[in-house]
Amino acid sequence: MGEHDWARRTWIALGAVLVLRIISLWFNTTELFFDEAQYWVWGKEPAFGYFSKPPVLAWIIGLFTGVCGDSEFCVRLASPVIHTGTAILVFAIAALLFDSRTAFWSALTYALLPAVSLSSGVISTDVPLLFFWALALFAFLNFERSNSIGWALTLGAAIGLGVMSKYAMLYILPCIALYSLSIAEKPHVLARGKFWLAMVVAALIVAPNIWWNVANQFATVSHTGENIGWGSGFPNIAGFAEFAASQFGVMGPIMFGIYVASVFRLPREGMTRAQWFLIAFSAPVLAVILFQALMSKAYANWAALTYVAGTILAVEIMLNRLPQWWLRLSTSIHAGVFAVLLVAVAFSKPGELPLPEGSDPFARMHGAKAVAAEARAKLAQGDYQAILVDERQMAALMHYYLRDLALPIKSWQRGETANDHFELTRPYQQQRLSPVFYITRNNNPARVVSNFVYAERLAVFKPDVPGFRKVSFYTLRGPAPAVQ
């Protein structure tokens, strides 16, 4: 089969996967997770930075919802579209390194990775991050071969926009150094003026976010540091084991096993330059996150950047060094996960899936609509100046599910400095409106209630969702002179 045939098969396969994902997204009954609702709020407020993340995802959501509308479908629509773009870049990288057959299987495998199938039904910062990482790898390979200023500028733009998606993009710098300092011909790209031009381009793209952080007490940088959270928990053996095990689910059990085996065996048994490139741009990321898991904690998606190059490496090994049934079995497992997720999200409401009690994977993505409906009914019975909330999750969800109301939603600032985006941009203490409709899941809300002259609890509401805490509604009037 010729190169054009493999390319055509790739377009058909990825197009079919995208269409099925969009159809599934249309029938998806899950509510927005609070992070997704927060990103939607950001998308309505264009800026060069936000409290916990750089701005690219917010810009993307703002673009999609500006055209499509504010439904859950439209908020998430960018995810399957961008993941498909990343799979196309995986094809391009693999075709440069190997051949079109390897490129086809790499692109299809990436598109069907369990983590990608899960991620395509939600919207998160990993979506644009993975795209710009793949674009940076493709641009780097072309720049390495051609020394073209066009590819240098593309590399710089990809790195800059990747950092503006998520700071984890910075892992590419040690990967570039490792690869460039270890290959045969030296000096390599690090000695090229055009490479440093690319770094200047990247820095210029990131500069507005640095300026935003300076103007906002380095909010995003501080939040990122807090997430790392190194402390007295070292060594976190249980966390390390949990994270390592989770990667078999992220990449797929066969794919991850073959990838890890390849990383350890190829350097000893002999490897091609293309294989070393793929190891150099994947293994360091996984190693750093494994160390982070040992030091403190690490979430399963934190090593996601490993699997752009890692997928190509594992596929190439399966195609050329292992019996073909390994690839067929791996693809079948991934296709099964893909198919289950396509259908399951349409039956995500509590009790709709035939699962044992307490095992509902969608439980955390329901309940906010019911809370918003109950709040709307109670709001209609009074005359309020604002809605008051005291946690980021509820703030984000109420901003989204009460978006049709004209009432401002204010956040109670806990302490002298803001703890989240809503405390930073909408602190109640900045404008003490009264009366306010207070929504809280705090079992002891005295810290807020005691700062008002009058407080009346209107109702306690528990959505019919396992694990969703009871919500209390209050009327609060007359803020005390020294609100804390």
Side-chain angles (χ1 to χ4, degrees):
M1 187 178 294
E3 290 185 8
H4 293 297
D5 295 320
W6 284 113
R8 185 173 65 254
R9 289 182 68 177
T10 302
W11 283 105
I12 292 171
L14 295 182
V17 169
L18 175 60
V19 168
L20 289 172
R21 280 183 170 145
I22 291 175
I23 292 172
S24 173
L25 196 62
W26 179 260
F27 290 101
N28 190 333
T29 58
T30 60
E31 299 172 15
L32 290 190
F33 194 54
F34 62 81
D35 278 339
E36 295 178 288
Q38 176 178 259
Y39 301 148
W40 171 83
V41 173
W42 293 356
K44 298 298 180 184
E45 303 166 358
F48 286 118
Y50 301 92
F51 186 88
S52 58
K53 295 290 189 300
V56 161
L57 180 63
W59 298 347
I60 291 171
I61 293 174
L63 176 63
F64 272 76
T65 56
V67 174
C68 176
D70 290 318
S71 66
E72 288 95 338
F73 171 80
C74 294
V75 172
R76 293 166 169 162
L77 181 58
S79 189
V81 174
I82 295 173
H83 273 310
T84 301
T86 306
I88 292 169
L89 286 167
V90 168
F91 175 91
I93 294 166
L96 272 180
L97 293 172
F98 301 108
D99 53 52
S100 294
R101 174 170 170 260
T102 305
F104 166 79
W105 284 107
S106 296
L108 181 61
T109 300
Y110 175 83
L112 294 179
L113 288 180
V116 173
S117 290
L118 183 63
S119 175
S120 293
V122 297
I123 191 70
S124 73
T125 50
D126 288 334
V127 177
L129 171 68
L130 286 163
F131 176 84
F132 288 118
W133 180 272
L135 179 59
L137 266 57
F138 183 56
F140 181 89
L141 282 170
N142 281 283
F143 173 65
E144 178 190 30
R145 298 178 182 194
S146 68
N147 199 32
S148 159
I149 191 169
W151 284 115
L153 295 175
T154 303
L155 174 63
I159 293 174
L161 290 169
V163 174
M164 291 288 273
S165 300
K166 194 173 183 178
Y167 294 150
M169 186 72 192
L170 291 170
Y171 290 136
I172 200 167
L173 301 180
C175 291
I176 289 174
L178 173 64
Y179 173 74
S180 299
L181 295 174
S182 61
I183 58 176
E185 67 270 20
K186 299 175 183 177
H188 194 47
V189 296
L190 297 180
R192 299 179 189 176
K194 291 174 185 175
F195 172 78
W196 295 105
L197 173 63
M199 296 301 99
V200 170
V201 170
L204 289 174
I205 291 173
V206 176
N209 181 250
I210 297 174
W211 171 84
W212 183 92
N213 269 281
V214 170
N216 289 276
Q217 296 78 50
F218 291 95
T220 316
V221 175
S222 299
H223 175 81
T224 303
E226 290 170 4
N227 274 346
I228 293 173
W230 289 3
S232 58
F234 175 82
N236 183 12
I237 302 299
F240 178 87
E242 181 181 355
F243 171 78
S246 74
Q247 299 312 291
F248 287 93
V250 169
M251 194 179 186
I254 294 175
M255 288 288 294
F256 186 65
I258 291 173
Y259 169 74
V260 172
S262 300
V263 168
F264 282 100
R265 294 185 62 175
L266 285 175
R268 291 186 287 109
E269 298 177 357
M271 58 185 169
T272 65
R273 178 164 167 166
Q275 290 170 336
W276 171 236
F277 173 85
L278 295 171
I279 291 173
F281 282 87
S282 59
V285 178
L286 181 60
V288 168
I289 305 304
L290 283 167
F291 180 73
Q292 164 64 27
L294 189 64
M295 290 296 294
S296 176
K297 64 177 180 180
Y299 297 107
N301 67 305
W302 283 11
L305 292 175
T306 302
Y307 304 118
V308 173
T311 295
I312 301 172
L313 179 65
V315 166
E316 194 272 334
I317 294 297
M318 284 192 283
L319 283 174
N320 298 312
R321 296 200 182 193
L322 297 175
Q324 295 299 290
W325 63 264
W326 282 100
L327 180 59
R328 289 196 293 268
L329 178 59
S330 178
T331 304
S332 297
I333 293 171
H334 294 186
V337 173
F338 167 71
V340 167
L341 287 174
L342 285 181
V343 176
V345 292
F347 303 95
S348 72
K349 295 178 180 178
E352 291 190 350
L353 289 174
L355 296 170
E357 186 176 351
S359 62
D360 184 357
F362 301 111
R364 296 179 68 198
M365 302 183 75
H366 285 288
K369 273 187 180 178
V371 172
E374 190 71 14
R376 187 178 279 104
K378 295 290 185 293
L379 282 163
Q381 301 171 11
D383 183 18
Y384 297 97
Q385 296 296 307
I387 297 169
L388 177 63
V389 291
D390 58 6
E391 56 167 315
R392 177 176 72 94
Q393 294 92 331
M394 189 61 71
L397 292 167
M398 291 303 100
H399 271 90
Y400 182 76
Y401 286 108
L402 293 175
R403 62 187 182 276
D404 57 309
L405 300 182
L407 280 178
I409 300 177
K410 299 291 184 177
S411 285
W412 187 264
Q413 183 172 312
R414 299 158 291 163
E416 295 183 1
T417 59
N419 297 281
D420 59 55
H421 173 79
F422 301 102
E423 289 187 20
L424 182 69
T425 60
R426 301 162 171 81
Y428 173 78
Q429 285 90 331
Q430 195 173 68
Q431 184 185 12
R432 302 172 187 178
L433 300 172
S434 178
V436 295
F437 183 78
Y438 177 37
I439 305 174
T440 183
R441 290 188 288 190
N442 193 333
N443 290 328
N444 183 20
R447 182 174 182 179
V448 174
V449 171
S450 63
N451 286 281
F452 291 81
V453 173
Y454 172 86
E456 177 188 358
R457 188 165 75 173
L458 302 174
V460 177
F461 177 69
K462 172 69 170 69
D464 188 20
V465 177
F468 201 105
R469 303 199 312 272
K470 292 179 181 179
V471 179
S472 296
F473 302 115
Y474 286 82
T475 294
L476 304 179
R477 290 193 180 92
V483 179
Q484 301 297 320

